[in-house]
């Protein structure tokens, strides 16, 4: 569960985040939507303790049995959280194989287990990432995106945070990613947060959609069977 209380962040006169209260329940696939400058990435960076809020706090918990933690004052949450925000999360002077071997090493996985886990991503990788003898920095933007998404899911986290995951992906890869994320949530019960400018994909995958405008929550909608579609389309068409 994620609990946000009185969370505020401004850059000069610009309000990037002003959320009095928000609770994200275990097992939600929450789609965060909004136009440029809505505050989506700012919110994610505060959830991951990459940006300090001016006021308020974020509390994360793995499940109901474990104690909740504030990411600003504890490292425990990193054990069960996977995230990809941008290329800065990658070690781009490594090949993809070296990068995942490194992740495996620091999380006490054998190379055999690393190789076995990577088989789960063969469809998303599409034969274009592994075995290419390319450094990550030399991959296409879409393939860098895939490496980042795979790294976020690699250790089977209970909380997944992905900022604009459909960016740079071709239509086939976008559809594969939607399938992979939904299947991962069903298998693991993980809570998944995605932000996206792609309203269609967000509606397709999310169980709940939260709309931000200038850092504030305008709508928080249940999306069972795509129930949020009409209201969101009307908002963005107005």
């Amino acid at each position: 569960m994620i609990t946000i209380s009185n969370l505020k962040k401004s850059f000069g006169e610009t309000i990037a985040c002003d959320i009095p209260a928000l609770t994200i329940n275990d097992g939600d696939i929450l789609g965060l939507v909004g136009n440029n400058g809505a505050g989506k990435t700012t919110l994610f960076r505060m959830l991951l303790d990459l940006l300090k809020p001016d006021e308020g706090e974020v509390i994360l918990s793995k499940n109901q049995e474990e104690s909740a933690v504030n990411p600003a004052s504890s490292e425990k949450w990193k054990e069960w959280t996977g995230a990809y925000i941008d290329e800065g999360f990658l070690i781009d002077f490594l090949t993809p194989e070296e990068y995942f071997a490194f992740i495996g090493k620091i999380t006490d996985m054998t190379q055999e287990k690393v190789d076995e886990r990577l088989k789960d991503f063969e469809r998303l990788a599409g034969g274009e990432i592994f075995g290419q003898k390319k450094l990550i920095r030399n991959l296409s933007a879409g393939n860098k995106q895939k490496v980042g998404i795979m790294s976020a899911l690699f250790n089977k986290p209970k909380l997944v945070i992905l900022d604009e995951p459909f960016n740079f992906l071709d239509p086939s890869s976008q559809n594969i990613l939607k399938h992979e994320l939904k299947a991962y949530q069903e298998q693991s019960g993980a809570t998944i947060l995605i932000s996206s400018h792609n309203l269609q994909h967000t509606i397709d995958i999310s169980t709940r959609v939260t709309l931000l405008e200038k850092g504030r929550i305008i709508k928080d909608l249940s999306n069972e069977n795509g129930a949020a579609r009409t209201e969101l389309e009307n908002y963005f068409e107005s």
Side-chain angles (χ1 to χ4, degrees):
M1 179 181 289
I2 301 172
T3 305
I4 293 171
S5 304
N6 300 313
L7 194 66
K8 295 183 179 181
K9 184 66 180 179
S10 297
F11 298 101
E13 298 297 318
T14 302
I15 297 173
C17 182
D18 184 2
I19 301 177
L22 178 66
T23 298
I24 301 166
N25 298 313
D26 293 342
D28 276 352
I29 302 180
L30 179 74
L32 198 63
V33 298
N35 292 317
N36 289 335
K40 302 184 298 295
T41 301
T42 296
L43 176 57
F44 280 177
R45 287 189 174 278
M46 287 191 287
L47 291 178
L48 295 168
D49 194 35
L50 298 172
L51 186 65
K52 301 296 184 185
D54 298 329
E55 298 178 34
E57 66 176 4
V58 173
I59 300 295
L60 307 178
S61 59
K62 181 179 180 181
N63 52 47
Q64 293 181 348
E65 287 73 38
E66 295 203 16
S67 299
V69 297
N70 184 329
S73 58
S74 170
E75 299 284 310
K76 189 72 176 175
W77 59 278
K78 294 182 179 180
E79 298 175 4
W80 38 267
T81 301
Y84 183 66
I85 302 294
D86 56 37
E87 289 182 29
F89 278 52
L90 303 175
I91 305 175
D92 67 359
F93 57 82
L94 300 178
T95 65
E97 289 89 343
E98 291 170 336
Y99 179 55
F100 286 104
F102 171 75
I103 294 174
K105 185 174 182 179
I106 63 175
T107 54
D108 298 321
M109 292 177 69
T110 64
Q111 186 59 48
E112 182 180 11
K113 288 185 177 180
V114 170
D115 294 339
E116 190 66 27
R117 177 63 175 137
L118 289 177
K119 291 179 182 178
D120 295 337
F121 300 112
E122 286 180 349
R123 189 174 177 217
L124 182 61
E128 298 179 341
I129 294 174
F130 301 110
Q132 305 302 304
K133 298 182 179 180
K134 285 185 177 182
L135 302 180
I136 291 173
R137 67 170 60 138
N138 296 326
L139 296 176
S140 68
N143 285 333
K144 288 179 187 175
Q145 187 83 344
K146 291 179 184 180
V147 171
I149 293 166
M150 289 188 284
S151 69
L153 298 172
F154 188 72
N155 283 311
K156 299 184 178 180
K158 295 298 290 184
L159 172 62
V160 180
I161 298 177
L162 301 173
D163 194 22
E164 298 289 352
F166 301 106
N167 272 6
F168 311 118
L169 301 185
D170 60 48
S172 293
S173 296
Q174 290 175 5
N175 285 326
I176 290 170
L177 177 58
K178 286 194 292 185
H179 170 79
E180 296 282 355
L181 290 176
K182 291 176 75 172
Y184 179 76
Q185 195 286 325
E186 290 170 0
Q187 293 163 8
S188 67
T191 304
I192 300 177
L193 279 59
I194 64 167
S195 73
S196 182
H197 284 109
N198 191 309
L199 190 60
Q200 181 63 55
H201 290 332
T202 304
I203 292 170
D204 286 347
I205 194 174
S206 302
T207 59
R208 175 180 171 191
V209 180
T210 299
L211 172 62
L212 286 181
E213 182 179 295
K214 296 181 179 179
R216 297 181 174 92
I217 295 175
I218 304 302
K219 298 179 184 293
D220 189 12
L221 306 170
S222 171
N223 192 43
E224 185 176 356
N225 298 318
R229 182 183 307 276
T230 299
E231 191 166 349
L232 290 168
E233 288 178 346
N234 289 340
Y235 172 84
F236 285 108
E237 289 172 1
S238 60

